[in-house]
Structures are given as structure tokens and as C-alpha cells.
Amino acid sequence: MKKGTAFTERTSVRLYASAGVTALAVTLATPAIAQDEPQEEDEETVFLDDSVVSSSEEGSIVVTGSRIRRNETTSASPLTIINPELQRKQGLNSTAEIIQQSPIANGSTQITSSLSANLITNGGPGAQTISLRGLGAERTLVLLNSRRAGPAGTRGAVSSFDLNVLPSIIVEQVDILKDGASSIYGSDAVAGVVNIRTKRATEGLELDLFTSQPFDGGGEQYSFSAAWGKEFDRGHIMLAGDYFLQRELEKGDRDYLACEEDYVFSEDGSRRLDLIDPRTGSFRCGEGTAWGHVWTYSSDNLQDQDPNFVNPTFVSLLQFDYSGLLANFLPGPGPADSFGDVIAPDGWFVTGYEDPDAWRLFDASHPFDRKSSAIPETERFTIYADASYEITDGVELYAEGLFNRRETYIDFFSQFYNFGFTDSYAPGDPDDPFPGWSSFGAAGAFISPTGILDQYDRWVDVDYYRAVFGARGSLTDRIDFDVHGQYSLSDGEYTLQQIFQDAIDQQTARAFGAGCAGLVTPISGRECLQVNWVDPRVMAGLLTQEEIDYFIGEETGVTEYEQMFAEASITGELFDLPAGPLGFALGAVI
């Protein structure tokens, strides 16, 4: 669907880490802990820059609770290691699926692309994050190659790393510390720490092709990834690219999504309290958005004129007979014989909450609902590069680069309604917004036609950039250093179809007798259109193109989140004591 721009909102966030210096000390001896795999004597320990977990080249687990060097094959803190290759054999192809459906994450509600597209969540529509212990993504720290990765997304709450930005082909291992680590990292690590480690190199060319084809149509997935790497004497280089496409899954593509039933069961397993629609003989689809109704209300001034005013046909809900079957089950809205009674045209019948028989026939499931997105359509493009080079025997330069673009489309719908009095115009007046509706007595009845429209879609485009450059090595046999800088930028654009408020206000003023001829909406600049609000066609959302252009526009907002910092650290062992070496760490962040 073509996108346009009516209004633009820009939000820009730039985050610069404050400068700080940290010195740490630890106990002299490492506690003895039972281990599943013995540590090899010639094991090469990998020390992380900003992480609590890692593993050695031999496969033994090395845990660092701080920057001070120490070797442990296990940790007092529970640790989960995820192998992406094993996860792919289960049909989990994306990084988000691999992490979110791991045993440690399965116990918490996760923000998937489907959930973020249908609810208001941090990161905006289409975002996917990881939450541990049910505390939310804002309390789960995500590290990328042992360094904090900048968040990505749109709208006002961009605070967490978006798992969409990283293709699974470059993920070598995921380490999850299940214990809270707020004492080391701050409040964003209360629930735990997730460290995503990418492959350092791939010798030659590696290709990966994946498709997921459900038996029923809708929700198909396609991905193609390629990685090329080369290792040489003093370093390595790796380049990778990834393309991913998630086809939209409409609610109507699955029976259990197309009709929202109550599903209330008795102890014997039978359905109870679930209403059956006599027009179909099946359980009513009634948890969707109400549409095709005219709500009628009593008003204080009418009650003042008649203190004993009680009129069930006035305070009620009238529904148009789209099926042509309501006359078989419901009486009409008349006769109108009391002050303020609504007089409706033929084809309208009284439904409501108080009468279960009438409530069985309440329309709350529209084809627009069934064609809305249960899973949005998402397309992603990713380029990744990683390289290192030893300039001397003790110093290595390294660099990482990542670019990801995500495009998400969500098909959605909305209620469409107005308010006003009947009898506001002379019979036959072409400007009457409620033709054919009147009330018994001198005063007009207050009514609200509630329709539905399909023009409420959303588009989200997010470009994510990340670059790291640094140097690491050894100052002595017992002291290492690491100096690096990191830059990340999330540039997101979100477009929403919106109902112009000034057009609705103009129609409401018209409903109260202001008229429409010659008026122009004050902000959007649309010439006033005389809309018949009680026309069953309008109530069903079947608007003409002229009506769509009058009521509907597109609003575009931009969210930028920029993060940069530089970090230096020195860690090692000063000297040996009877209980073990005395370790230290010293660092600074700007």
C-alpha cells in the first residue's frame, strides 16, 4: 500500500555515557564447585569486556563476575548456554526465536513481533525483545560480544535491544546468566544478563536457506544468509549478509483467530454461558469491535422535563439487519409513544446487554477484523563485518560493523462514530447527518452511530547501525588491556493512518445544526463532505474514495536513538599469595 505523509513528528535521543573510573578487588581463592566437565590444563581463557559469561576454545565454561581475571569451569550463579545449531534443528530460525523460546525465557511473556504489533509496547510495532523472570526487557541486559548494544525501535520508549537486528547465521553462542547482576551492571540487569556472541571467522563460504510453510496459508517465512570468512597468520576477516521475509498472517487465516469465542467450560467439560448465534447455530463471535449500531442515550434535560422518564426503547442499542434474519428473532424499535422515543427506519432492531437473547445477535465480528494482522508482514536486510589483526605479538586491533533495516506492515481497523441529535433539520434537508431518524415529541433524541473502517494501517521502517573499533593485548605476562569505542544509531520512521479529528469535529458540529455547505476543515484543509452517518454502507465501513480522502490521512513520526562511548580497562594479577593470586581490574568509560 502506498504511503503518504500528512504530519511529521520527530523524536531524537542521544545518549553519551558519563565518565567514570572503577577499581575492583576479589577474594584470593576461587571457591571449589562441582563441575560437569573438567578443565584442561592448556585451556585458553577468554575474558569478556563487559560480560559475566563466556567459554573457552576447548568448550569449558569460563565465568567472570567482574573484570578481574579468574578461571572457573562453573559458577555459583546458574548459567544457560544456547547452541543456535541445535535450536535450528527445532525449526527456530531467527535470533529472536532462538533466545525467546529457550527454556529459561519460556517462563516469561516475551514481546514478539505479533504482540508488539497489536499492543502498545516499548520499541514500537514489530520489535522483539527478551525478558527474564517476567521483569521486562528493560530489566534484562543484552550484550553483543560482551559489550552493551544500543537499542532500536520507534515511538517514545526505545530502551531495549531489538533482536531483529542480528541474523542467526552469525550467532555462535548465547550465554544467559539467570541471576540478577544489578550490583555489577545497574538496574537494567536486575533480571539477568544475555550475552550474544557472534562468530569470529568462517573459513570459506557458508550458505543457509530456510523456509517455513504452514499447512494453511499465511505466516510463511523465508530467509537466505551467506557468510564468508578467511583466517590468516595474524588475524581474520568475516563478512555476512542476511535476508528475511515474514508473510502476514491474517486472523481469518486460522479458525481459532477468526472467531473470538468466550470458551467458558463446566467441570464436566461442556461449554457453559457461551452464547449461540441463532442465525448461524454456532457459538457467537462476540469479543471483537462493535460496529453497525446506533447507540441512543437519555439526557438530563429530557429527564428534567419528565422526572419519571424511563424508556427502554430510548436508552438502547439499535442494530441494522445486515443478515436479513434479525426480524425472525427480534422485535422492531417501536412503537414510539413516549417523549424522546427514537423512531428508526425499517431494517433496525433493538439489541443490548441486558437481554441475553438479543445479545446473542449483537454484531461484533467484522470482515475487517478477520483480515487484520495477527502476525505482521516483516522484511529484514542485514550486513555484518568482523575483523582483527595483530600489529605486534602482544597487541591486536579489532573491528565490528553491523547494518540492519527492518520494514514492518500492520493491517488494522478502528471504530468510526459520531454524536448528535435527531430532528435537527427539516425533513428532506440534504445536510441532515441522520436522515430517516426522529424522535417522539418536540426535542431530538441523542444518538451515536458506531461504524467501522479499515483505513487504520501502520508502517514501521527502522535502520540500525553499529560500529566497534578497539585494541587489546598484553602489557606483561600477567596483565592485559582492552581499549575500544562503540557507536550505534537507531533511525526509525513510523507511519499511521489516522482519522482527522478536525473532520470528525466538523461532522459533529454539523450534527448539532451548524451545517456543512462551504466549510473547510481548519487543519487538514478538506472541503466539508455531507456524510450520511446512519447509512448502513457507511456503518459497515464501505466508504467511497471521496469519503476516505476526507476522513483519513497519514501521520509520520521519526525516532532517533544515538549512543556512543569509549572504554579502557586493565586487568590481571599483581602477585601470588598462599591462597592464590591477587587479581585486580581498573577501567574508565567516557
Side-chain angles (χ1 to χ4, degrees):
M1 184 177 291
K2 185 179 179 181
K3 296 191 293 184
T5 301
F7 302 100
T8 301
E9 174 190 358
R10 179 174 290 272
T11 303
S12 181
V13 178
R14 287 177 171 82
L15 177 61
Y16 300 90
S18 59
V21 178
T22 304
L24 303 176
V26 295
T27 55
L28 302 181
T30 300
I33 302 173
Q35 54 191 38
D36 296 329
E37 181 180 352
Q39 181 174 342
E40 302 292 339
E41 293 182 358
D42 58 350
E43 174 189 32
E44 178 182 352
T45 303
V46 179
F47 299 103
L48 301 183
D49 301 318
D50 196 14
S51 178
V52 293
V53 288
S54 72
S55 66
S56 73
E57 292 185 354
E58 298 298 326
S60 299
I61 304 302
V62 177
V63 180
T64 58
S66 70
R67 295 183 182 277
I68 301 175
R69 294 197 315 187
R70 52 180 176 158
N71 292 353
E72 299 173 4
T73 56
T74 61
S75 170
S77 299
L79 188 69
T80 295
I81 307 297
I82 301 175
N83 185 341
E85 296 300 326
L86 296 178
Q87 299 292 87
R88 290 193 189 98
K89 293 179 181 180
Q90 302 179 37
L92 307 178
N93 185 57
S94 69
T95 302
E97 291 176 329
I98 289 173
I99 299 177
Q100 290 177 342
Q101 297 192 34
S102 62
I104 178 58
N106 251 335
S108 304
T109 299
Q110 304 298 332
I111 301 299
T112 64
S113 60
S114 175
L115 193 63
S116 63
N118 290 277
L119 298 173
I120 299 176
T121 62
N122 289 346
Q128 303 194 94
T129 56
I130 177 66
S131 169
L132 300 178
R133 297 183 172 183
L135 297 179
E138 301 79 17
R139 296 293 178 262
T140 302
L141 176 61
V142 176
L143 304 173
L144 181 55
N145 287 330
S146 311
R147 303 175 187 90
R148 292 174 182 265
T154 58
R155 311 303 292 266
V158 181
S159 59
S160 304
F161 182 73
D162 187 356
L163 299 175
N164 285 305
V165 307
L166 202 63
S168 62
I169 192 174
I170 65 173
V171 177
E172 181 179 49
Q173 182 171 300
V174 180
D175 305 325
I176 301 179
L177 181 74
K178 296 184 285 185
D179 263 1
S182 59
S183 61
I184 301 174
Y185 299 102
S187 61
D188 56 348
V190 168
V193 181
V194 177
N195 184 33
I196 305 173
R197 298 171 49 202
T198 61
K199 299 176 181 178
R200 284 182 55 86
T202 297
E203 190 66 29
L205 181 64
E206 178 182 344
L207 300 177
D208 185 80
L209 180 64
F210 175 85
T211 180
S212 174
Q213 181 67 49
F215 289 109
D216 297 325
E220 298 86 356
Q221 290 184 4
Y222 309 95
S223 71
F224 174 76
S225 303
W228 174 86
K230 179 67 177 177
E231 293 189 76
F232 42 91
D233 291 341
R234 303 188 70 88
H236 82 280
I237 184 172
M238 188 182 76
L239 301 174
D242 176 81
Y243 172 78
F244 174 85
L245 175 63
Q246 167 77 66
R247 293 290 187 188
E248 178 190 29
L249 176 68
E250 298 181 355
K251 288 185 177 181
D253 291 334
R254 302 292 184 267
D255 293 339
Y256 55 86
L257 296 175
C259 179
E260 300 181 22
E261 300 178 16
D262 294 324
Y263 292 106
V264 180
F265 293 88
S266 300
E267 292 183 358
D268 61 3
S270 63
R271 298 279 287 270
R272 59 187 294 266
L273 299 180
D274 294 341
L275 300 178
I276 295 178
D277 189 334
R279 293 170 294 184
T280 63
S282 301
F283 290 109
R284 181 181 66 92
C285 304
E287 300 304 320
T289 300
W291 65 278
H293 308 91
V294 172
W295 299 81
T296 66
Y297 304 88
S298 64
S299 60
D300 293 337
N301 65 318
L302 292 178
Q303 292 180 355
D304 290 342
Q305 296 179 43
D306 184 357
N308 298 318
F309 176 75
V310 177
N311 190 343
T313 63
F314 181 55
V315 186
S316 62
L317 178 67
L318 283 79
Q319 175 177 306
F320 184 74
D321 188 8
Y322 288 98
S323 66
L325 300 174
L326 290 182
N328 299 332
F329 308 101
L330 295 175
D337 54 10
S338 300
F339 184 82
D341 276 0
V342 170
I343 302 174
D346 292 339
W348 293 86
F349 295 85
V350 176
T351 59
Y353 293 97
E354 297 180 358
D355 183 354
D357 290 330
W359 189 233
R360 297 171 190 270
L361 298 157
F362 181 80
D363 286 334
S365 179
H366 192 279
F368 291 165
D369 189 2
R370 292 191 287 274
K371 71 181 289 290
S372 64
S373 299
I375 297 177
E377 181 170 307
T378 299
E379 195 171 17
R380 296 197 302 262
F381 310 86
T382 307
I383 299 174
Y384 178 81
D386 180 275
S388 66
Y389 183 76
E390 292 183 13
I391 57 176
T392 68
D393 290 340
V395 179
E396 178 187 61
L397 299 180
Y398 61 91
E400 299 173 18
L402 172 67
F403 169 76
N404 173 270
R405 178 173 179 82
R406 171 170 63 89
E407 300 176 356
T408 301
Y409 166 69
I410 304 105
D411 188 340
F412 210 62
F413 63 98
S414 178
Q415 280 189 337
F416 187 58
Y417 57 88
N418 193 16
F419 296 94
F421 282 102
T422 64
D423 299 331
S424 298
Y425 299 85
D429 189 334
D431 202 40
D432 185 358
F434 309 124
W437 290 68
S438 60
S439 59
F440 188 89
F446 188 63
I447 67 173
S448 175
T450 303
I452 195 170
L453 56 82
D454 191 33
Q455 289 72 34
Y456 208 63
D457 300 345
R458 289 166 283 173
W459 299 264
V460 176
D461 300 332
V462 180
D463 291 335
Y464 181 77
Y465 307 83
R466 180 178 182 267
V468 177
F469 182 77
R472 59 192 168 205
S474 300
L475 298 177
T476 68
D477 291 340
R478 306 185 70 170
I479 299 178
D480 296 332
F481 76 92
D482 190 338
V483 179
H484 68 269
Q486 176 176 279
Y487 173 83
S488 67
L489 171 66
S490 171
D491 187 358
E493 180 179 285
Y494 53 97
T495 300
L496 307 87
Q497 284 185 317
Q498 298 278 32
I499 305 172
F500 285 127
Q501 186 61 51
D502 58 353
I504 295 295
D505 291 344
Q506 190 176 71
Q507 292 291 305
T508 303
R510 171 175 166 248
F512 280 90
C516 185
L519 298 180
V520 176
T521 53
I523 299 176
S524 57
R526 265 67 170 177
E527 183 177 347
C528 186
L529 187 65
Q530 297 181 5
V531 177
N532 180 358
W533 281 88
V534 289
D535 185 342
R537 172 189 63 82
V538 174
M539 301 280 285
L542 304 177
L543 304 182
T544 66
Q545 189 60 50
E546 185 182 20
E547 292 167 339
I548 292 174
D549 294 340
Y550 171 68
F551 283 112
I552 308 300
E554 294 177 0
E555 179 182 14
T556 298
V558 177
T559 302
E560 292 181 355
Y561 195 107
E562 187 177 33
Q563 183 185 76
M564 62 180 68
F565 64 87
E567 181 177 330
S569 63
I570 299 176
T571 182
E573 299 170 354
L574 295 178
F575 47 82
D576 293 325
L577 294 174
L582 176 65
F584 79 98
L586 181 68
V589 178
I590 301 176

